[in-house]
Amino acid sequence: MTDRQNRTGNAVILKSGRDKPVRQRHPWIFSGAIASLPAGVEDGEFVEVVDAAGAWLARGYLNRRSQIQVRLLTWEQGEAIDADFWRRRLAAAIDLRHTLPALDGCNALRLVNAENDYLPGLTVDRYDDYLVLQAGTLAIDRRKAMLAQTLLELTGCRGIVERSDMAVRKLEGLSPAAGTLAGSTPPETIDIREDGLLFQVDLVHGQKTGFYTDQRTNRRRVAAYSEDRRVLNAFSYTGAFAVHALRFGATHVTNIDSSVDALAMGETNLRRNGFDPDRQAEGVAGDVFAILRDWNDEPEPRFDLIILDPPKFAQNQGAVDRALRGYKEINRLAMRLLRPGGILATFSCSGLVSADLFQKVVFGAAVDAGRSVQVLEWLRQSPDHPVAITFPEGEYLKGLIARVTP
Ligand code: SAH
């Protein structure tokens, strides 16, 4: 097919001067960069992308309903998007995980990290012998049965289930979807190992795809500070940070979460690893903001190590200011609950809040709390959640380990 045929057939034509990000391999094209869309291509199907002069740039998939009208799959004109294409990309993502260090003793990990593995819209996590797939876009949603089958063939896993309940699906015109896509249906809970520790994961009702594997490397780093310390694990979910802390010699851990189910599974996780949830731990159900405020009224600070791992506070640009106030407030409260020389491990998983901005917020919290804060470590998402350097949006999790003194 010649460039001219592309242009009149199934090509998206960019506005003049808007081709640079595409040439630099950013995978998204927003409506504002597009001069014209092809009439004959259905949403969810493939398009060619050409610049204002008609020169071929890339190939991807279309969804007119989304602000991100095109997501790009290849910049090689000779590379067709066929069954073999998907198999190659999936195999490359899986191969990368085989080369990652320090995954011994871990059988829960992200296998496909969407745009960052050059598979826009597709997220796949592995839990022992089962896979969980999230289809974030219409084009992926349409192909999920084929992708699931290929994933089973490539991994040898027993089954693959869907947990496509992310808010972003709405922007693609999709409603939530769940169920078994290929192979056998997993049991409701399965046991996974992380650094040799055991955790129960609920693939059907758990948050996201069941477990926060993006924090794996950070759980190790933070736990290394827990010897002989009383630990508060705020926004604990199923208490993974707490189990790691006890393994590293914490004297006591307190989990706080608004989800009673998550706290219950947290108790199971403590027992599974040989810890006593009555003597060595406590689970507090409720709102972290309110609980930390209550404890701030007590005369003596309670903790030597506090972990703050809140959910994504900034869901969109309009919510960033409010999110920053939330981060500042929990950090201020936590700093005041630490004994002199205590350690704060604080995170943000809002992609819209940069690492630099997050550190400024923690600085603001230190000023308001009247504490001296020394940053000891800067943390990011674990390496099974790679960031394609062409796609800075892929970087979302950031954290600090800091020493706090009056
Ligand atoms: N640290 C966890 C992951 C935390 S995810 C891990 O390593 O697995 C964020 C958690 O915060 C969720 O479990 C959610 O139920 C909880 N949550 C959200 N808002 C909350 C609030 N205001 N107070 C208490 N818990 C909250």
Side-chain angles (χ1 to χ4, degrees), residues 296-312:
N296 258 267
D297 294 335
E298 296 175 357
E300 293 299 324
R302 293 187 178 209
F303 301 103
D304 309 295
L305 167 60
I306 298 181
I307 301 151
L308 296 176
D309 184 21
K312 188 161 138 188

Side-chain angles (χ1 to χ4, degrees), residues 126-141:
R126 178 171 185 157
Y127 296 110
D128 192 16
D129 276 341
Y130 289 95
L131 301 175
V132 183
L133 178 149
Q134 292 185 312
T137 59
L138 175 63
I140 294 298
D141 198 73

Side-chain angles (χ1 to χ4, degrees), residues 257-279:
D257 204 278
S258 51
S259 160
V260 178
D261 291 344
L263 288 172
M265 203 175 262
E267 274 199 25
T268 306
N269 286 335
L270 289 166
R271 277 202 197 88
R272 281 281 159 85
N273 292 285
F275 301 114
D276 180 347
D278 301 319
R279 203 174 46 79

Side-chain angles (χ1 to χ4, degrees), residues 194 207-208 210-216 219 233-242 256-259 262 284-291 307-313 347 349:
E194 181 176 89
Q207 296 179 19
K208 294 214 186 169
F211 198 68
Y212 291 87
T213 52
D214 54 355
Q215 287 283 29
R216 179 192 321 102
R219 285 193 273 264
N233 182 22
F235 307 97
S236 63
Y237 188 45
T238 55
F241 272 103
I256 308 180
D257 204 278
S258 51
S259 160
V284 182
D287 173 34
V288 167
F289 286 84
I291 293 164
I307 301 151
L308 296 176
D309 184 21
K312 188 161 138 188
F313 283 163
F347 296 93
C349 61

Side-chain angles (χ1 to χ4, degrees), residues 216-236:
R216 179 192 321 102
T217 44
N218 299 331
R219 285 193 273 264
R220 276 177 207 155
R221 300 274 287 271
V222 172
Y225 290 86
S226 36
E227 195 175 354
D228 294 331
R229 290 193 149 108
R230 281 186 82 86
V231 176
L232 170 61
N233 182 22
F235 307 97
S236 63

